[in-house]
Amino acid sequence: MKTVEFAQNLNLELLFSTDKDMNVEGVYVGDLLSIVMAKAKQNYAWITIQTHINIVAVADLLDLSCIIVVENMEVEEETLEKAKELDIPIFKTKESAYSVACNLFKMGIK
Amino acid sequence: MTENFLKRYSFNIVANDFINAGKASSAIKGNLKSMGINAHIVRRIAIISYEAEINIVIHSIGGQLHCDLYHDKIVITSTDVGPGINDIEMAMTEGFSTAPESVRELGFGAGMGLPNMKKYSDDFKITSGSKGTEIVITIFL
Ligand SMILES: Nc1ncnc2c1ncn2[C@@H]1O[C@H](COP(=O)(O)OP(=O)(O)O)[C@@H](O)[C@H]1O
Ligand SMILES: [Mg+2]
């Protein structure tokens, strides 16, 4: 599935255009970076309210498939620049982490 | 260094530079990955080097991160100049953190850095004094 399609299916806003294929093998929800570092795995979608540029470093180090920023948090410009550079899709939504997690579950991601 | 030694990657880490924090770890990870090192080992090293790097950024006034590659092991060394750690046992406790509120808001300061560095290593050595901290971590291949 392409990022655009993924965004449409989950009603998320894709914050920059990318042609990347989404390969989501799991989901992790968390806002404390050390805990995400230890728990999230390769090709996981990461749901968070953090927006600081360091979330991109975490996603890159873990080979996460994407970052989904919830609760309508504003994502900093430098975060987007870095994500673009590394081609790590960032989505945004005004929904809660729980709601996005439920939608991912309905999509078949366990 | 023994004949077993292959290569060293070194990085300067600047205190309070949250924009570049993680770059050294990313470079280490990228190098190990492209050398075909096992993915589980690369993941462990990514966690360890990231936590070491972030600790230099937050808690010290600057330092270096080294990754030494041997035939049979990888050694990550973090050295910094700074206040050091008064009570290492306390610092190693899960959840203990002296990180200021301003960085906690960004998601740092969970107090899980040192415990996780130890958890994901095969050998973990830390020495700290009033001039700084050195951590040497070994992962066997
Ligand atoms: N390089 C360092 N220099 C000085 N103090 C450190 C250093 N690394 C860790 N510490 C101390 O140990 C504590 C625990 O570290 P850590 O487990 O990484 O948690 P955190 O970084 O989230 O606070 C820190 O809050 C700090 O007081
Ligand atoms: Mg830490």
Side-chain angles (χ1 to χ4, degrees), chain A residues 31-34 37-38 40 50 52-54 57-58 60-63 78 82, chain B residues 18-19 21 23 25-26 29 33 43 47 50-51 105-108 112 116 120:
Chain A
D31 305 317
L32 294 176
L33 304 184
S34 287
M37 269 313 288
Q50 297 295 350
H52 179 261
I53 186 169
N54 218 258
V58 169
D60 177 48
L61 280 166
L62 296 174
D63 292 319
E78 58 201 21
K82 188 75 195 168
Chain B
F18 290 97
I19 302 287
K23 268 196 182 162
S25 308
S26 281
K29 181 207 134 189
K33 209 175 159 182
R43 177 183 150 80
I47 294 169
Y50 176 78
E51 294 294 355
E105 276 171 11
L106 306 177
F108 302 105
M112 293 302 293
N116 282 344
Y120 290 102

PDB file of all heavy atoms in Angstrom, chain A residues 31-34 37-38 40 50 52-54 57-58 60-63 78 82, chain B residues 18-19 21 23 25-26 29 33 43 47 50-51 105-108 112 116 120:
ATOM      1  N   ASP A  31       5.165   7.910  24.135  1.00  0.00           N
ATOM      2  CA  ASP A  31       5.700   9.271  24.074  1.00  0.00           C
ATOM      3  C   ASP A  31       7.041   9.412  24.771  1.00  0.00           C
ATOM      4  O   ASP A  31       7.666  10.470  24.699  1.00  0.00           O
ATOM      5  CB  ASP A  31       4.706  10.244  24.704  1.00  0.00           C
ATOM      6  CG  ASP A  31       3.338  10.134  24.048  1.00  0.00           C
ATOM      7  OD1 ASP A  31       3.300  10.039  22.805  1.00  0.00           O
ATOM      8  OD2 ASP A  31       2.324  10.127  24.765  1.00  0.00           O
ATOM      9  N   LEU A  32       7.485   8.376  25.472  1.00  0.00           N
ATOM     10  CA  LEU A  32       8.800   8.426  26.124  1.00  0.00           C
ATOM     11  C   LEU A  32       9.801   7.715  25.210  1.00  0.00           C
ATOM     12  O   LEU A  32       9.685   6.512  24.951  1.00  0.00           O
ATOM     13  CB  LEU A  32       8.745   7.758  27.497  1.00  0.00           C
ATOM     14  CG  LEU A  32       7.856   8.485  28.523  1.00  0.00           C
ATOM     15  CD1 LEU A  32       7.774   7.712  29.819  1.00  0.00           C
ATOM     16  CD2 LEU A  32       8.398   9.894  28.781  1.00  0.00           C
ATOM     17  N   LEU A  33      10.761   8.478  24.710  1.00  0.00           N
ATOM     18  CA  LEU A  33      11.623   7.982  23.634  1.00  0.00           C
ATOM     19  C   LEU A  33      12.413   6.733  24.012  1.00  0.00           C
ATOM     20  O   LEU A  33      12.566   5.825  23.207  1.00  0.00           O
ATOM     21  CB  LEU A  33      12.566   9.099  23.166  1.00  0.00           C
ATOM     22  CG  LEU A  33      11.868  10.400  22.708  1.00  0.00           C
ATOM     23  CD1 LEU A  33      12.883  11.397  22.188  1.00  0.00           C
ATOM     24  CD2 LEU A  33      10.799  10.124  21.653  1.00  0.00           C
ATOM     25  N   SER A  34      12.891   6.663  25.252  1.00  0.00           N
ATOM     26  CA  SER A  34      13.673   5.489  25.669  1.00  0.00           C
ATOM     27  C   SER A  34      12.830   4.223  25.656  1.00  0.00           C
ATOM     28  O   SER A  34      13.333   3.136  25.371  1.00  0.00           O
ATOM     29  CB  SER A  34      14.222   5.680  27.083  1.00  0.00           C
ATOM     30  OG  SER A  34      15.263   6.612  27.070  1.00  0.00           O
ATOM     31  N   MET A  37      12.256   3.291  22.040  1.00  0.00           N
ATOM     32  CA  MET A  37      13.504   2.704  21.527  1.00  0.00           C
ATOM     33  C   MET A  37      13.594   1.220  21.886  1.00  0.00           C
ATOM     34  O   MET A  37      14.030   0.401  21.096  1.00  0.00           O
ATOM     35  CB  MET A  37      14.728   3.417  22.121  1.00  0.00           C
ATOM     36  CG  MET A  37      15.278   4.578  21.357  1.00  0.00           C
ATOM     37  SD  MET A  37      15.533   4.380  19.598  1.00  0.00           S
ATOM     38  CE  MET A  37      16.926   3.301  19.504  1.00  0.00           C
ATOM     39  N   ALA A  38      13.195   0.901  23.104  1.00  0.00           N
ATOM     40  CA  ALA A  38      13.346  -0.487  23.567  1.00  0.00           C
ATOM     41  C   ALA A  38      12.231  -1.399  23.060  1.00  0.00           C
ATOM     42  O   ALA A  38      12.423  -2.602  22.955  1.00  0.00           O
ATOM     43  CB  ALA A  38      13.387  -0.513  25.091  1.00  0.00           C
ATOM     44  N   ALA A  40       9.582  -0.600  20.280  1.00  0.00           N
ATOM     45  CA  ALA A  40       9.103  -0.594  18.895  1.00  0.00           C
ATOM     46  C   ALA A  40      10.098  -1.353  18.013  1.00  0.00           C
ATOM     47  O   ALA A  40      11.288  -1.383  18.312  1.00  0.00           O
ATOM     48  CB  ALA A  40       8.934   0.835  18.403  1.00  0.00           C
ATOM     49  N   GLN A  50       4.534  13.228  20.479  1.00  0.00           N
ATOM     50  CA  GLN A  50       5.798  13.966  20.352  1.00  0.00           C
ATOM     51  C   GLN A  50       5.959  14.478  18.923  1.00  0.00           C
ATOM     52  O   GLN A  50       5.610  13.768  17.967  1.00  0.00           O
ATOM     53  CB  GLN A  50       6.995  13.082  20.711  1.00  0.00           C
ATOM     54  CG  GLN A  50       7.010  12.598  22.141  1.00  0.00           C
ATOM     55  CD  GLN A  50       7.173  13.719  23.159  1.00  0.00           C
ATOM     56  OE1 GLN A  50       7.461  14.866  22.827  1.00  0.00           O
ATOM     57  NE2 GLN A  50       6.971  13.381  24.417  1.00  0.00           N
ATOM     58  N   HIS A  52       8.901  16.694  18.207  1.00  0.00           N
ATOM     59  CA  HIS A  52      10.260  17.210  18.142  1.00  0.00           C
ATOM     60  C   HIS A  52      11.102  16.420  17.140  1.00  0.00           C
ATOM     61  O   HIS A  52      10.860  15.238  16.909  1.00  0.00           O
ATOM     62  CB  HIS A  52      10.840  17.104  19.561  1.00  0.00           C
ATOM     63  CG  HIS A  52      12.228  17.574  19.692  1.00  0.00           C
ATOM     64  ND1 HIS A  52      13.292  16.709  19.706  1.00  0.00           N
ATOM     65  CD2 HIS A  52      12.726  18.816  19.815  1.00  0.00           C
ATOM     66  CE1 HIS A  52      14.401  17.412  19.841  1.00  0.00           C
ATOM     67  NE2 HIS A  52      14.079  18.695  19.914  1.00  0.00           N
ATOM     68  N   ILE A  53      12.089  17.054  16.545  1.00  0.00           N
ATOM     69  CA  ILE A  53      12.916  16.442  15.500  1.00  0.00           C
ATOM     70  C   ILE A  53      13.503  15.089  15.911  1.00  0.00           C
ATOM     71  O   ILE A  53      13.725  14.218  15.069  1.00  0.00           O
ATOM     72  CB  ILE A  53      14.050  17.416  15.064  1.00  0.00           C
ATOM     73  CG1 ILE A  53      14.817  16.837  13.870  1.00  0.00           C
ATOM     74  CG2 ILE A  53      14.982  17.763  16.207  1.00  0.00           C
ATOM     75  CD1 ILE A  53      15.769  17.811  13.214  1.00  0.00           C
ATOM     76  N   ASN A  54      13.709  14.886  17.206  1.00  0.00           N
ATOM     77  CA  ASN A  54      14.327  13.621  17.611  1.00  0.00           C
ATOM     78  C   ASN A  54      13.452  12.393  17.360  1.00  0.00           C
ATOM     79  O   ASN A  54      13.953  11.271  17.311  1.00  0.00           O
ATOM     80  CB  ASN A  54      14.775  13.693  19.073  1.00  0.00           C
ATOM     81  CG  ASN A  54      16.080  12.962  19.260  1.00  0.00           C
ATOM     82  OD1 ASN A  54      16.107  11.849  19.748  1.00  0.00           O
ATOM     83  ND2 ASN A  54      17.169  13.564  18.782  1.00  0.00           N
ATOM     84  N   ALA A  57      14.893  10.636  14.445  1.00  0.00           N
ATOM     85  CA  ALA A  57      16.082   9.830  14.753  1.00  0.00           C
ATOM     86  C   ALA A  57      15.671   8.470  15.298  1.00  0.00           C
ATOM     87  O   ALA A  57      16.214   7.429  14.911  1.00  0.00           O
ATOM     88  CB  ALA A  57      16.968  10.564  15.758  1.00  0.00           C
ATOM     89  N   VAL A  58      14.672   8.468  16.181  1.00  0.00           N
ATOM     90  CA  VAL A  58      14.187   7.209  16.762  1.00  0.00           C
ATOM     91  C   VAL A  58      13.608   6.308  15.662  1.00  0.00           C
ATOM     92  O   VAL A  58      13.946   5.122  15.569  1.00  0.00           O
ATOM     93  CB  VAL A  58      13.133   7.487  17.861  1.00  0.00           C
ATOM     94  CG1 VAL A  58      12.429   6.220  18.299  1.00  0.00           C
ATOM     95  CG2 VAL A  58      13.789   8.170  19.064  1.00  0.00           C
ATOM     96  N   ASP A  60      14.227   6.367  12.514  1.00  0.00           N
ATOM     97  CA  ASP A  60      15.301   5.947  11.607  1.00  0.00           C
ATOM     98  C   ASP A  60      16.117   4.810  12.222  1.00  0.00           C
ATOM     99  O   ASP A  60      16.394   3.802  11.570  1.00  0.00           O
ATOM    100  CB  ASP A  60      16.193   7.165  11.315  1.00  0.00           C
ATOM    101  CG  ASP A  60      17.380   6.795  10.442  1.00  0.00           C
ATOM    102  OD1 ASP A  60      17.168   6.114   9.425  1.00  0.00           O
ATOM    103  OD2 ASP A  60      18.513   7.195  10.771  1.00  0.00           O
ATOM    104  N   LEU A  61      16.462   4.963  13.499  1.00  0.00           N
ATOM    105  CA  LEU A  61      17.281   3.945  14.168  1.00  0.00           C
ATOM    106  C   LEU A  61      16.564   2.603  14.240  1.00  0.00           C
ATOM    107  O   LEU A  61      17.197   1.548  14.174  1.00  0.00           O
ATOM    108  CB  LEU A  61      17.647   4.410  15.582  1.00  0.00           C
ATOM    109  CG  LEU A  61      18.815   5.386  15.627  1.00  0.00           C
ATOM    110  CD1 LEU A  61      18.895   6.062  16.976  1.00  0.00           C
ATOM    111  CD2 LEU A  61      20.118   4.657  15.325  1.00  0.00           C
ATOM    112  N   LEU A  62      15.251   2.643  14.392  1.00  0.00           N
ATOM    113  CA  LEU A  62      14.490   1.401  14.540  1.00  0.00           C
ATOM    114  C   LEU A  62      13.919   0.890  13.223  1.00  0.00           C
ATOM    115  O   LEU A  62      13.268  -0.148  13.200  1.00  0.00           O
ATOM    116  CB  LEU A  62      13.343   1.622  15.535  1.00  0.00           C
ATOM    117  CG  LEU A  62      13.753   1.962  16.974  1.00  0.00           C
ATOM    118  CD1 LEU A  62      12.518   2.308  17.799  1.00  0.00           C
ATOM    119  CD2 LEU A  62      14.503   0.803  17.623  1.00  0.00           C
ATOM    120  N   ASP A  63      14.146   1.634  12.124  1.00  0.00           N
ATOM    121  CA  ASP A  63      13.530   1.280  10.837  1.00  0.00           C
ATOM    122  C   ASP A  63      12.015   1.160  10.952  1.00  0.00           C
ATOM    123  O   ASP A  63      11.409   0.202  10.452  1.00  0.00           O
ATOM    124  CB  ASP A  63      14.118  -0.032  10.274  1.00  0.00           C
ATOM    125  CG  ASP A  63      15.570   0.132   9.860  1.00  0.00           C
ATOM    126  OD1 ASP A  63      15.893   1.182   9.276  1.00  0.00           O
ATOM    127  OD2 ASP A  63      16.373  -0.776  10.139  1.00  0.00           O
ATOM    128  N   GLU A  78      11.328  21.616  11.236  1.00  0.00           N
ATOM    129  CA  GLU A  78      12.612  20.881  11.160  1.00  0.00           C
ATOM    130  C   GLU A  78      12.409  19.370  11.281  1.00  0.00           C
ATOM    131  O   GLU A  78      13.182  18.594  10.721  1.00  0.00           O
ATOM    132  CB  GLU A  78      13.597  21.405  12.209  1.00  0.00           C
ATOM    133  CG  GLU A  78      13.105  21.333  13.625  1.00  0.00           C
ATOM    134  CD  GLU A  78      13.838  22.286  14.569  1.00  0.00           C
ATOM    135  OE1 GLU A  78      14.438  23.266  14.096  1.00  0.00           O
ATOM    136  OE2 GLU A  78      13.792  22.026  15.785  1.00  0.00           O
ATOM    137  N   LYS A  82      13.664  16.818   8.259  1.00  0.00           N
ATOM    138  CA  LYS A  82      14.475  15.626   8.544  1.00  0.00           C
ATOM    139  C   LYS A  82      13.771  14.355   8.060  1.00  0.00           C
ATOM    140  O   LYS A  82      14.390  13.463   7.481  1.00  0.00           O
ATOM    141  CB  LYS A  82      14.723  15.554  10.066  1.00  0.00           C
ATOM    142  CG  LYS A  82      15.695  14.501  10.490  1.00  0.00           C
ATOM    143  CD  LYS A  82      17.109  14.928  10.173  1.00  0.00           C
ATOM    144  CE  LYS A  82      18.051  13.744  10.261  1.00  0.00           C
ATOM    145  NZ  LYS A  82      19.360  14.057   9.686  1.00  0.00           N
TER     146      LYS A  82
ATOM    147  N   PHE B  18      20.001  19.148  20.422  1.00  0.00           N
ATOM    148  CA  PHE B  18      18.924  18.183  20.208  1.00  0.00           C
ATOM    149  C   PHE B  18      18.589  18.011  18.731  1.00  0.00           C
ATOM    150  O   PHE B  18      17.934  17.060  18.352  1.00  0.00           O
ATOM    151  CB  PHE B  18      17.683  18.592  21.002  1.00  0.00           C
ATOM    152  CG  PHE B  18      17.887  18.428  22.474  1.00  0.00           C
ATOM    153  CD1 PHE B  18      18.262  19.505  23.274  1.00  0.00           C
ATOM    154  CD2 PHE B  18      17.757  17.180  23.058  1.00  0.00           C
ATOM    155  CE1 PHE B  18      18.481  19.339  24.622  1.00  0.00           C
ATOM    156  CE2 PHE B  18      17.977  17.000  24.411  1.00  0.00           C
ATOM    157  CZ  PHE B  18      18.337  18.086  25.192  1.00  0.00           C
ATOM    158  N   ILE B  19      19.025  18.954  17.918  1.00  0.00           N
ATOM    159  CA  ILE B  19      18.771  18.842  16.478  1.00  0.00           C
ATOM    160  C   ILE B  19      19.595  17.689  15.896  1.00  0.00           C
ATOM    161  O   ILE B  19      19.104  16.886  15.116  1.00  0.00           O
ATOM    162  CB  ILE B  19      19.161  20.160  15.747  1.00  0.00           C
ATOM    163  CG1 ILE B  19      18.377  21.345  16.326  1.00  0.00           C
ATOM    164  CG2 ILE B  19      18.949  20.027  14.249  1.00  0.00           C
ATOM    165  CD1 ILE B  19      16.929  21.425  15.969  1.00  0.00           C
ATOM    166  N   ALA B  21      21.140  15.326  17.733  1.00  0.00           N
ATOM    167  CA  ALA B  21      21.166  14.156  18.607  1.00  0.00           C
ATOM    168  C   ALA B  21      20.607  12.934  17.885  1.00  0.00           C
ATOM    169  O   ALA B  21      19.511  12.986  17.334  1.00  0.00           O
ATOM    170  CB  ALA B  21      20.346  14.441  19.869  1.00  0.00           C
ATOM    171  N   LYS B  23      22.383  11.473  15.381  1.00  0.00           N
ATOM    172  CA  LYS B  23      23.099  11.345  14.103  1.00  0.00           C
ATOM    173  C   LYS B  23      24.235  10.336  14.172  1.00  0.00           C
ATOM    174  O   LYS B  23      24.446   9.551  13.247  1.00  0.00           O
ATOM    175  CB  LYS B  23      23.674  12.702  13.678  1.00  0.00           C
ATOM    176  CG  LYS B  23      22.732  13.475  12.801  1.00  0.00           C
ATOM    177  CD  LYS B  23      23.439  14.607  12.069  1.00  0.00           C
ATOM    178  CE  LYS B  23      22.427  15.386  11.234  1.00  0.00           C
ATOM    179  NZ  LYS B  23      22.928  16.700  10.847  1.00  0.00           N
ATOM    180  N   SER B  25      24.530   7.803  16.228  1.00  0.00           N
ATOM    181  CA  SER B  25      23.941   6.460  16.319  1.00  0.00           C
ATOM    182  C   SER B  25      23.425   5.990  14.962  1.00  0.00           C
ATOM    183  O   SER B  25      23.580   4.823  14.602  1.00  0.00           O
ATOM    184  CB  SER B  25      22.796   6.455  17.324  1.00  0.00           C
ATOM    185  OG  SER B  25      23.227   6.994  18.545  1.00  0.00           O
ATOM    186  N   SER B  26      22.810   6.911  14.220  1.00  0.00           N
ATOM    187  CA  SER B  26      22.324   6.572  12.878  1.00  0.00           C
ATOM    188  C   SER B  26      23.465   6.164  11.965  1.00  0.00           C
ATOM    189  O   SER B  26      23.344   5.207  11.191  1.00  0.00           O
ATOM    190  CB  SER B  26      21.613   7.769  12.241  1.00  0.00           C
ATOM    191  OG  SER B  26      20.327   7.885  12.756  1.00  0.00           O
ATOM    192  N   LYS B  29      24.676   2.744  13.019  1.00  0.00           N
ATOM    193  CA  LYS B  29      23.699   1.743  12.566  1.00  0.00           C
ATOM    194  C   LYS B  29      23.814   1.507  11.061  1.00  0.00           C
ATOM    195  O   LYS B  29      23.842   0.365  10.598  1.00  0.00           O
ATOM    196  CB  LYS B  29      22.289   2.209  12.910  1.00  0.00           C
ATOM    197  CG  LYS B  29      21.219   1.233  12.493  1.00  0.00           C
ATOM    198  CD  LYS B  29      19.900   1.911  12.214  1.00  0.00           C
ATOM    199  CE  LYS B  29      19.321   1.389  10.916  1.00  0.00           C
ATOM    200  NZ  LYS B  29      18.152   2.129  10.468  1.00  0.00           N
ATOM    201  N   LYS B  33      24.806  -2.038   9.383  1.00  0.00           N
ATOM    202  CA  LYS B  33      23.796  -2.649   8.525  1.00  0.00           C
ATOM    203  C   LYS B  33      24.384  -2.963   7.140  1.00  0.00           C
ATOM    204  O   LYS B  33      24.219  -4.066   6.621  1.00  0.00           O
ATOM    205  CB  LYS B  33      22.625  -1.674   8.389  1.00  0.00           C
ATOM    206  CG  LYS B  33      21.283  -2.335   8.167  1.00  0.00           C
ATOM    207  CD  LYS B  33      20.186  -1.280   8.167  1.00  0.00           C
ATOM    208  CE  LYS B  33      18.951  -1.790   7.470  1.00  0.00           C
ATOM    209  NZ  LYS B  33      17.896  -0.767   7.423  1.00  0.00           N
ATOM    210  N   ARG B  43      20.107  -3.771  15.960  1.00  0.00           N
ATOM    211  CA  ARG B  43      19.064  -3.137  16.788  1.00  0.00           C
ATOM    212  C   ARG B  43      19.572  -2.881  18.216  1.00  0.00           C
ATOM    213  O   ARG B  43      19.384  -1.795  18.767  1.00  0.00           O
ATOM    214  CB  ARG B  43      17.832  -4.061  16.815  1.00  0.00           C
ATOM    215  CG  ARG B  43      16.723  -3.543  17.693  1.00  0.00           C
ATOM    216  CD  ARG B  43      15.577  -4.551  17.735  1.00  0.00           C
ATOM    217  NE  ARG B  43      14.888  -4.454  19.007  1.00  0.00           N
ATOM    218  CZ  ARG B  43      13.987  -3.517  19.274  1.00  0.00           C
ATOM    219  NH1 ARG B  43      13.676  -2.622  18.368  1.00  0.00           N
ATOM    220  NH2 ARG B  43      13.416  -3.466  20.457  1.00  0.00           N
ATOM    221  N   ILE B  47      20.041   0.865  19.974  1.00  0.00           N
ATOM    222  CA  ILE B  47      19.463   1.266  21.268  1.00  0.00           C
ATOM    223  C   ILE B  47      20.570   1.769  22.201  1.00  0.00           C
ATOM    224  O   ILE B  47      20.469   2.851  22.786  1.00  0.00           O
ATOM    225  CB  ILE B  47      18.708   0.078  21.923  1.00  0.00           C
ATOM    226  CG1 ILE B  47      17.494  -0.308  21.082  1.00  0.00           C
ATOM    227  CG2 ILE B  47      18.291   0.424  23.358  1.00  0.00           C
ATOM    228  CD1 ILE B  47      16.816  -1.622  21.486  1.00  0.00           C
ATOM    229  N   TYR B  50      22.260   5.088  20.885  1.00  0.00           N
ATOM    230  CA  TYR B  50      21.334   6.214  20.993  1.00  0.00           C
ATOM    231  C   TYR B  50      21.240   6.696  22.442  1.00  0.00           C
ATOM    232  O   TYR B  50      21.323   7.891  22.720  1.00  0.00           O
ATOM    233  CB  TYR B  50      19.946   5.804  20.485  1.00  0.00           C
ATOM    234  CG  TYR B  50      18.889   6.872  20.646  1.00  0.00           C
ATOM    235  CD1 TYR B  50      18.822   7.952  19.764  1.00  0.00           C
ATOM    236  CD2 TYR B  50      17.966   6.814  21.681  1.00  0.00           C
ATOM    237  CE1 TYR B  50      17.860   8.936  19.918  1.00  0.00           C
ATOM    238  CE2 TYR B  50      16.993   7.794  21.838  1.00  0.00           C
ATOM    239  CZ  TYR B  50      16.949   8.851  20.951  1.00  0.00           C
ATOM    240  OH  TYR B  50      15.998   9.829  21.112  1.00  0.00           O
ATOM    241  N   GLU B  51      21.075   5.769  23.359  1.00  0.00           N
ATOM    242  CA  GLU B  51      20.946   6.160  24.772  1.00  0.00           C
ATOM    243  C   GLU B  51      22.234   6.818  25.279  1.00  0.00           C
ATOM    244  O   GLU B  51      22.181   7.788  26.041  1.00  0.00           O
ATOM    245  CB  GLU B  51      20.586   4.942  25.632  1.00  0.00           C
ATOM    246  CG  GLU B  51      19.200   4.363  25.344  1.00  0.00           C
ATOM    247  CD  GLU B  51      18.053   5.303  25.721  1.00  0.00           C
ATOM    248  OE1 GLU B  51      18.297   6.372  26.302  1.00  0.00           O
ATOM    249  OE2 GLU B  51      16.894   4.957  25.399  1.00  0.00           O
ATOM    250  N   GLU B 105       9.620  17.140  28.474  1.00  0.00           N
ATOM    251  CA  GLU B 105       8.486  17.472  27.616  1.00  0.00           C
ATOM    252  C   GLU B 105       8.685  16.959  26.190  1.00  0.00           C
ATOM    253  O   GLU B 105       7.733  16.717  25.468  1.00  0.00           O
ATOM    254  CB  GLU B 105       8.291  18.993  27.564  1.00  0.00           C
ATOM    255  CG  GLU B 105       7.485  19.504  28.722  1.00  0.00           C
ATOM    256  CD  GLU B 105       7.483  21.012  28.794  1.00  0.00           C
ATOM    257  OE1 GLU B 105       7.929  21.667  27.827  1.00  0.00           O
ATOM    258  OE2 GLU B 105       7.047  21.541  29.833  1.00  0.00           O
ATOM    259  N   LEU B 106       9.954  16.824  25.790  1.00  0.00           N
ATOM    260  CA  LEU B 106      10.258  16.339  24.443  1.00  0.00           C
ATOM    261  C   LEU B 106      10.303  14.810  24.392  1.00  0.00           C
ATOM    262  O   LEU B 106      10.547  14.234  23.342  1.00  0.00           O
ATOM    263  CB  LEU B 106      11.594  16.911  23.959  1.00  0.00           C
ATOM    264  CG  LEU B 106      11.741  18.432  24.013  1.00  0.00           C
ATOM    265  CD1 LEU B 106      13.135  18.842  23.577  1.00  0.00           C
ATOM    266  CD2 LEU B 106      10.700  19.108  23.131  1.00  0.00           C
ATOM    267  N   GLY B 107      10.103  14.173  25.529  1.00  0.00           N
ATOM    268  CA  GLY B 107      10.071  12.712  25.557  1.00  0.00           C
ATOM    269  C   GLY B 107      11.336  12.063  26.093  1.00  0.00           C
ATOM    270  O   GLY B 107      11.425  10.849  26.189  1.00  0.00           O
ATOM    271  N   PHE B 108      12.322  12.899  26.450  1.00  0.00           N
ATOM    272  CA  PHE B 108      13.546  12.354  27.056  1.00  0.00           C
ATOM    273  C   PHE B 108      13.316  12.225  28.564  1.00  0.00           C
ATOM    274  O   PHE B 108      12.311  12.674  29.091  1.00  0.00           O
ATOM    275  CB  PHE B 108      14.739  13.291  26.804  1.00  0.00           C
ATOM    276  CG  PHE B 108      15.012  13.534  25.352  1.00  0.00           C
ATOM    277  CD1 PHE B 108      14.677  14.738  24.748  1.00  0.00           C
ATOM    278  CD2 PHE B 108      15.617  12.556  24.566  1.00  0.00           C
ATOM    279  CE1 PHE B 108      14.927  14.973  23.408  1.00  0.00           C
ATOM    280  CE2 PHE B 108      15.877  12.782  23.226  1.00  0.00           C
ATOM    281  CZ  PHE B 108      15.528  13.995  22.648  1.00  0.00           C
ATOM    282  N   MET B 112      15.343   5.387  31.636  1.00  0.00           N
ATOM    283  CA  MET B 112      15.514   4.010  31.163  1.00  0.00           C
ATOM    284  C   MET B 112      16.765   3.850  30.302  1.00  0.00           C
ATOM    285  O   MET B 112      17.037   2.757  29.808  1.00  0.00           O
ATOM    286  CB  MET B 112      14.289   3.590  30.328  1.00  0.00           C
ATOM    287  CG  MET B 112      13.006   3.473  31.123  1.00  0.00           C
ATOM    288  SD  MET B 112      13.130   2.297  32.486  1.00  0.00           S
ATOM    289  CE  MET B 112      13.315   0.776  31.563  1.00  0.00           C
ATOM    290  N   ASN B 116      18.591   0.262  30.054  1.00  0.00           N
ATOM    291  CA  ASN B 116      18.468  -0.400  28.748  1.00  0.00           C
ATOM    292  C   ASN B 116      19.830  -0.644  28.102  1.00  0.00           C
ATOM    293  O   ASN B 116      20.039  -1.662  27.442  1.00  0.00           O
ATOM    294  CB  ASN B 116      17.564   0.395  27.812  1.00  0.00           C
ATOM    295  CG  ASN B 116      16.089   0.173  28.136  1.00  0.00           C
ATOM    296  OD1 ASN B 116      15.750  -0.779  28.834  1.00  0.00           O
ATOM    297  ND2 ASN B 116      15.237   1.049  27.647  1.00  0.00           N
ATOM    298  N   TYR B 120      20.794  -4.495  27.008  1.00  0.00           N
ATOM    299  CA  TYR B 120      21.053  -4.931  25.641  1.00  0.00           C
ATOM    300  C   TYR B 120      22.530  -5.215  25.360  1.00  0.00           C
ATOM    301  O   TYR B 120      22.899  -5.521  24.239  1.00  0.00           O
ATOM    302  CB  TYR B 120      20.479  -3.917  24.640  1.00  0.00           C
ATOM    303  CG  TYR B 120      18.969  -3.948  24.649  1.00  0.00           C
ATOM    304  CD1 TYR B 120      18.226  -2.978  25.310  1.00  0.00           C
ATOM    305  CD2 TYR B 120      18.284  -5.006  24.037  1.00  0.00           C
ATOM    306  CE1 TYR B 120      16.832  -3.039  25.350  1.00  0.00           C
ATOM    307  CE2 TYR B 120      16.899  -5.071  24.076  1.00  0.00           C
ATOM    308  CZ  TYR B 120      16.187  -4.082  24.729  1.00  0.00           C
ATOM    309  OH  TYR B 120      14.814  -4.162  24.770  1.00  0.00           O
TER     310      TYR B 120
END
